[in-house]
Amino acid sequence: MAELTETAARPTRAYVIHPDLGRARTQRREPEHALAEAVALALALPGIEMVGSEVANLREPNPGKLFGKGKLAEIKERLDALEVELVLIDGPVTPVQQRNLEKDWGVKLLDRTGLILEIFADRARTREGVLQVELAALSYQRTRLVRAWTHLERQRGGLGFVGGPGETQIEADRRAIDEQMTRLRRQLERVVKTRSLHRAARAKVPYPIVALVGYTNAGKSTLFNRLTGAEVFAKDMLFATLDPTMRAIRLPDVAGGGSGRKIILSDTVGFISDLPTELVAAFRATLEEVLEADLILHVRDISHPETEEQAADVAEILDNLGVDEDVAAIEVWNKIDALGPEIRAALRRTDARTEGVQAVSALSGEGLDDLIAAIDHALGTVLDDERLPETLVLDFADGRARAWLHEAGVVEREEAAEDGLHLDLRWTARQKGAFAAFTGAERDEVEDDDEASDRRPGGWHPAD
């Protein structure tokens, strides 16, 4: 008997269509660049074979089938000739339009929101990420329910022959989805609570948080790996990484004038134009790391032909998240290695004259020393505006509090006396608040212990 051999699954033949409304369009993007981004999105899905793409001009969308009769027939001929199995529409498609197009063309169809959800579902790795994607997908699927199974209506309700139909299949499906969404929200609340506890713990650590944000594929993860030595997955692909990553690093003393301060660097999910509202809501908890940041690094792909439009999309999403305009930020013009030597030199001259701008190449390392110096300077401006002197007295048993103060670098002099350790400090209001949170947590731990009353009372207080 011949042995059975496993064969690899054949890739799905896909075709991308970008509907363009011409003069009536409200998008900032040129249709050719929007189509290129849609193709890149499609290639981010596993098992896809791209067989063609086009910009389809529309005067106005047809409510039933999106395209007119002539355009429908024209596209169908191309799809049949190329044996297309999956059509990706780069834009919103109503449930009715999706059902009619799939029926007319004989293919599976996804709109932009569905495509991005598919990518996120494939890339999510952490428990929180999986839950967020499932919740967003169900929210999207709930709007896709159409009146397709009227023959599955339950027996008629009401009294006598005047009673209307009972619960329809669509209502049952919607109820099932609502119940599943409720379960997911409860699970996600527990995960989000854990994240908030971790965030509260980090607030007790005297290290500033620097968050990387930017358009997808701008090079955030590559820059993150360069600065931290981490091995976060980085690839020239849209949404290569989804799950946020944080690392504590110490900034090097670049030219003898740096502080060598320790910071927490956070890599976040990339943004994209027309990001589905379901995903914005689902990933809000993850992106709250940006809201807690002391400094934001807005990483831009400066070699992209529509880098200004991408920057505008990122700014809009940050505004929707509620990021304060007063938060310190540095624009990182990344991928200068993809530009010619003259343009690259011009950008380096521009960043030298412009505050809050740094031109770098995360791939080659060019300009990173200047970026590190700019981060150090920006944090110094944000965190070290006023260092106020103060003297504290610590009990000899408070070793953890003493270690915290020395780690923060705020101790100028220390002297032992009969009543404890006298420390002369010079610190900022933020560092003082973080220390208060740290010692408050220490006291809570002692009070929660059953044997707390038998222990020597610890703590700190300003010297008289």
Side-chain angles (χ1 to χ4, degrees), residues 100 107 121 123 127 182 221 224 234 250 288 313 357 402 425:
N100 291 336
V107 297
R123 301 287 169 76
R127 176 61 175 164
T182 301
S221 295
F224 183 85
R250 189 175 296 279
E288 281 178 359
D313 288 328
V357 172
R402 176 179 176 272
L425 311 178

Side-chain angles (χ1 to χ4, degrees), residues 178-368:
D178 288 342
E179 291 172 355
Q180 178 66 8
M181 289 175 66
T182 301
R183 286 193 293 268
L184 287 174
R185 287 194 183 98
R186 289 172 181 166
Q187 295 179 49
L188 192 56
E189 283 174 2
R190 291 195 289 269
V191 178
V192 170
K193 184 177 181 180
T194 302
R195 177 177 288 278
S196 65
L197 292 174
H198 291 168
R199 189 181 297 114
R202 286 195 299 272
K204 302 168 191 170
V205 179
Y207 307 142
I209 297 176
V210 179
L212 295 172
V213 303
Y215 208 81
T216 182
N217 204 33
K220 295 184 302 302
S221 295
T222 303
L223 180 61
F224 183 85
N225 290 341
R226 270 278 182 178
L227 293 176
T228 65
E231 297 181 354
V232 173
F233 179 69
K235 188 176 181 180
D236 186 14
M237 177 190 294
L238 300 187
F239 297 119
T241 53
L242 292 183
D243 299 311
T245 308
M246 306 189 82
R247 292 287 188 277
I249 63 171
R250 189 175 296 279
L251 294 177
D253 191 344
V254 178
S259 66
R261 76 175 74 241
K262 200 168 186 179
I263 69 171
I264 295 177
L265 195 64
S266 173
D267 184 20
T268 60
V269 62
F271 300 154
I272 197 169
S273 63
D274 302 322
L275 188 67
T277 55
E278 295 89 354
L279 279 177
V280 173
F283 276 78
R284 184 176 295 275
T286 301
L287 295 172
E288 281 178 359
E289 301 293 352
V290 180
L291 300 178
E292 301 292 329
D294 297 289
L295 176 66
I296 293 176
L297 299 185
H298 177 188
V299 183
R300 292 175 53 181
D301 179 359
I302 203 65
S303 67
H304 196 280
E306 292 191 330
T307 182
E308 294 294 338
E309 288 78 7
Q310 291 182 352
D313 288 328
V314 171
E316 182 178 344
I317 294 175
L318 288 177
D319 183 61
N320 292 336
L321 287 173
V323 175
D324 195 337
E325 294 181 358
D326 296 333
V327 176
I330 296 176
E331 273 201 5
V332 182
W333 293 354
N334 192 27
K335 300 191 181 182
I336 60 174
D337 56 287
L339 302 171
E342 295 182 0
I343 299 178
R344 188 162 65 246
L347 289 176
R348 294 284 284 151
R349 288 193 298 270
T350 300
D351 80 0
R353 296 192 302 266
T354 308
E355 186 176 357
V357 172
Q358 293 295 320
V360 305
S361 169
L363 195 62
S364 68
E366 182 180 357
L368 289 188

Side-chain angles (χ1 to χ4, degrees), residues 394-398 443 446 452-460:
L394 288 178
D395 291 338
F396 291 110
D398 289 335
R443 285 194 296 271
V446 173
S453 58
D454 298 332
R455 297 183 181 180
R456 176 184 176 183
W460 63 276

